[in-house]
Amino acid sequence: MRTQLSSYNIDWYKPGNRFKIIIWYFVNVLFFINPLNPLSGLKCFLLRQFGAKVGKGVMIKPGVNIKYPWMLEIGDYVWIGEEVWIDNLTLVSIGSNVCISQGALLLTGNHNYKKETFDLMTLKIVLEDGVWIGAKSVVCPGITCKSHSVLAVGSVANTDLKAYSIYQGNPAVIVRERIVAPF
């Protein structure tokens, strides 16, 4: 069997109204991906206008790329670093007090390499409260990062992360327990 990309078909995938998708594309380029726009409050306002659920105290740095805001939930006091890519072909749910560091990728889509038609597969991502996704890390489709788990710099989460655990590597494995000290 060989891959036949000429047979690839995603007619079943309808992420939203075509007009809304086109308008969002330009808003995303002008206000989010554009590194010259530091106004986090404006970004939160725009996300809400496009259907995202966004909590209070959310900080969105320049250069962030969000595929479809209407499939995004963000809790309170979340930090999203420079050049983060939220490739949310389906729901991405981010709890409160979550930090997503520079260049991290939240990836909800993949392809079925076992089928010659290379079918698109989408699975949601959940980042529970207190999670920290390190710089240049990747969270794969269908992953839940449990409360206060950490994915270290440059790591790849392809299985769920246990609560209060620190993961590192590709694939990410537990390296130690996370102890959060009271202030």
Side-chain angles (χ1 to χ4, degrees):
M1 181 168 39
R2 294 180 163 197
T3 301
Q4 298 294 325
L5 294 180
S6 62
S7 301
Y8 181 73
N9 184 325
I10 58 168
D11 288 344
W12 62 270
Y13 182 69
K14 307 280 188 222
N17 174 291
R18 267 293 194 226
F19 181 71
K20 185 177 182 179
I21 292 170
I22 291 167
I23 297 299
W24 171 250
Y25 174 83
F26 289 105
V27 169
N28 193 32
V29 168
L30 290 172
F31 295 100
F32 288 81
I33 297 172
N34 179 354
L36 301 176
N37 180 10
L39 303 174
S40 186
L42 175 61
K43 293 174 193 175
C44 291
F45 171 79
L46 290 169
L47 285 173
R48 288 182 189 107
Q49 297 311 300
F50 278 87
K53 296 176 183 169
V54 181
K56 63 184 175 189
V58 173
M59 173 62 68
I60 302 173
K61 294 291 196 171
V64 171
N65 186 1
I66 298 170
K67 181 75 84 178
Y68 301 125
W70 46 92
M71 291 190 246
L72 181 61
E73 298 173 352
I74 304 172
D76 298 331
Y77 305 105
V78 170
W79 296 349
I80 301 176
E82 290 88 349
E83 298 181 10
V84 166
W85 184 9
I86 302 176
D87 191 23
N88 57 328
L89 299 171
T90 191
L91 180 66
V92 169
S93 177
I94 302 168
S96 294
N97 300 297
V98 169
C99 179
I100 305 172
S101 297
Q102 308 91 308
L105 170 60
L106 306 182
L107 182 64
T108 61
N110 203 347
H111 295 275
N112 188 343
Y113 65 89
K114 294 178 182 178
K115 299 193 83 178
E116 65 180 25
T117 53
F118 208 52
D119 296 348
L120 176 65
M121 303 179 300
T122 62
L123 294 166
K124 72 179 182 176
I125 289 175
V126 176
L127 306 180
E128 294 182 357
D129 293 348
V131 166
W132 180 11
I133 304 300
K136 301 288 185 182
S137 292
V138 178
V139 179
C140 293
I143 299 303
T144 296
C145 299
K146 298 288 188 176
S147 177
H148 293 83
S149 58
V150 175
L151 183 62
V153 171
S155 298
V156 178
N158 61 6
T159 60
D160 291 350
L161 305 187
K162 294 180 182 177
Y164 291 93
S165 297
I166 299 173
Y167 287 75
Q168 184 175 23
N170 180 6
V173 295
I174 293 179
V175 292
R176 64 184 151 283
E177 178 183 1
R178 180 182 186 188
I179 299 168
V180 180
F183 54 95

